[in-house]
Amino acid sequence: MDHINIGFIGLGNMGAGMCLNIIKNGYKVTVHDINKDSAVSALEMGAVWANSPKELAQKSDVIFTSLPGPKEVEAVSVGEQSILDGIDEGSIWVDLSTSSPNLIQALHETFASKGAKVMDAPVSGGVTGAESGRLAIMVGGDEETFNNLKSVLESFGDRVTYTGPIGTGTICKLMNNAFQYGMEVLLSESLTLGVKAGVNTQKLVECLRNGGGGRGNILNVTFPQTYLKGKFDPPRFKLTGAQKDVSLALELARQHDVPMASATHTYNEMTSAINRGWGDLDSRVSLLLQEERAGNIEVRITDEDDVS
Ligand code: NAD
């Protein structure tokens, strides 16, 4: 796929950096944006302007979009002068936006009736990642099409994962963001209490960075060795011990009048799990309560596909 014509729609905070990296990797690129000013750098680097998504699609074998959300994705793909109006049989539309899995699945069907492929490939890594080419790209859709696209995707992302059928890339991205923003809320509880209790902010941040959570141990070490394998015995750290730690933090929170909704929820989860008789097992055993509430969903990996 080295001599393909690329189209790129949506050169905003994320799209501009991604598009420039595609151009730098030697691809011929046509661009379009509702605001032409945002395409200036790409045009200076040799990209060609198209007046509409339809015109861009007519000139492109692979069309990328990086748009604010579902409303814009729908308008550009099937609205007036849309990608659908211009796309050829065999061409591919790859949506990099964070959008709706249901929408992209429906659009996949619509485009299939024209013989065109649709992939969802949302990204993570922010503007800095878009500029430096260090983005995670989560790609759903036909696997053969993914394999054909891989070299183009690697021109602007350093961690490219094929996630399964259409829509699964978006599901992974939404789960990533729910987790990431939830962590930020939790972190703000620890930071406000720590500072109010008298610790220097820089020292507190340094300690949290250097601790297990800050080093990424949850996803890379502890989960793969316990929860994701369903292994809670022997415990790496007993649930009663972990509950003691959260309980002491909440005692400090009461002393300093700092509300800690997420930490309180954590304490309640741990206490419920202890009341099930799980106190001597590994602390992550309390996560089984969420699996139960989710409708007995088991989240497990085997030793073979271990991610640690
Ligand atoms: P942005 O608003 O900066 O860029 C969107 C671009 O789309 C703009 O240039 C805008 O003019 C253009 N656009 C809007 N409607 C259009 C239309 N109808 N036709 C043509 N062009 C149109 O947004 P962004 O921050 O670059 O985000 C793009 C996508 O990437 C979003 O879905 C966002 O959730 C996701 N994302 C953003 C970040 C981030 O840190 N900014 C990180 C990861 C993912």
Side-chain angles (χ1 to χ4, degrees):
M1 278 219 147
D2 286 345
H3 301 293
I4 50 171
N5 294 312
I6 304 272
F8 205 108
I9 303 175
L11 295 106
N13 287 324
M14 295 299 289
M18 292 191 275
C19 184
L20 289 188
N21 282 324
I22 295 173
I23 296 170
K24 280 181 200 156
N25 274 269
Y27 292 99
K28 217 176 126 202
V29 180
T30 304
V31 294
H32 173 75
D33 194 293
I34 206 166
N35 168 22
K36 195 172 177 180
D37 288 348
S38 55
V40 168
S41 317
L43 294 171
E44 280 173 3
M45 297 250 320
V48 175
W49 177 255
N51 283 316
S52 67
K54 177 184 175 183
E55 187 188 319
L56 178 138
Q58 285 168 336
K59 293 180 176 166
S60 311
D61 306 304
V62 177
I63 302 140
F64 288 103
T65 47
S66 176
L67 297 161
K71 186 163 63 82
E72 294 81 6
V73 169
E74 195 165 10
V76 167
S77 60
V78 293
E80 275 180 37
Q81 299 283 306
S82 66
I83 296 173
L84 186 69
D85 292 333
I87 199 164
D88 286 328
E89 190 179 340
S91 293
I92 308 163
W93 166 39
V94 185
D95 187 24
L96 305 165
S97 322
T98 304
S99 180
S100 147
N102 292 337
L103 175 64
I104 203 72
Q105 282 161 353
L107 292 170
H108 180 267
E109 293 300 307
T110 309
F111 276 65
S113 63
K114 257 197 124 175
K117 305 266 186 207
V118 175
M119 308 289 284
D120 61 320
V123 303
S124 179
V127 175
T128 319
E131 285 167 358
S132 62
R134 288 163 60 87
L135 287 176
I137 314 180
M138 312 164 202
V139 195
D142 173 56
E143 190 163 11
E144 194 186 330
T145 308
F146 167 76
N147 289 329
N148 291 336
L149 283 172
K150 212 162 172 235
S151 54
V152 193
L153 295 170
E154 283 170 349
S155 70
F156 60 93
D158 64 337
R159 296 189 181 189
V160 182
T161 305
Y162 176 68
T163 56
I166 187 73
T168 55
T170 304
I171 294 171
C172 289
K173 169 65 180 170
L174 297 179
M175 295 313 97
N176 174 75
N177 282 24
F179 152 69
Q180 206 174 312
Y181 289 120
M183 287 281 288
E184 289 179 6
V185 171
L186 211 78
L187 194 51
S188 74
E189 289 185 6
S190 289
L191 290 171
T192 48
L193 175 57
V195 169
K196 198 170 182 184
V199 183
N200 170 278
T201 304
Q202 176 53 32
K203 293 291 176 198
L204 179 58
V205 171
E206 190 179 322
C207 288
L208 294 183
R209 271 195 194 130
N210 291 341
R215 289 181 194 225
N217 282 3
I218 297 172
L219 276 169
N220 296 314
V221 183
T222 39
F223 265 38
Q225 290 180 2
T226 62
Y227 172 54
L228 293 177
K229 299 270 169 58
K231 284 186 190 160
F232 304 109
D233 202 13
R236 292 168 65 87
F237 186 44
K238 281 185 189 174
L239 178 57
T240 47
Q243 187 227 30
K244 173 257 307 173
D245 293 354
V246 179
S247 176
L248 288 167
L250 289 173
E251 209 175 293
L252 194 70
R254 275 193 298 279
Q255 184 188 333
H256 291 279
D257 284 328
V258 173
M260 293 185 87
S262 303
T264 302
H265 172 69
T266 307
Y267 174 80
N268 290 340
E269 289 288 286
M270 290 175 157
T271 306
S272 299
I274 288 171
N275 289 338
R276 296 234 178 163
W278 299 343
D280 288 337
L281 298 177
D282 188 89
S283 64
R284 285 95 200 170
V285 74
S286 63
L287 306 174
L288 296 181
L289 297 177
Q290 170 62 13
E291 290 196 343
E292 196 177 300
R293 286 191 297 265
N296 295 315
I297 296 300
E298 279 203 346
V299 183
R300 300 287 176 273
I301 55 170
T302 60
D303 282 331
E304 287 77 59
D305 50 33
D306 195 346
V307 294
S308 61

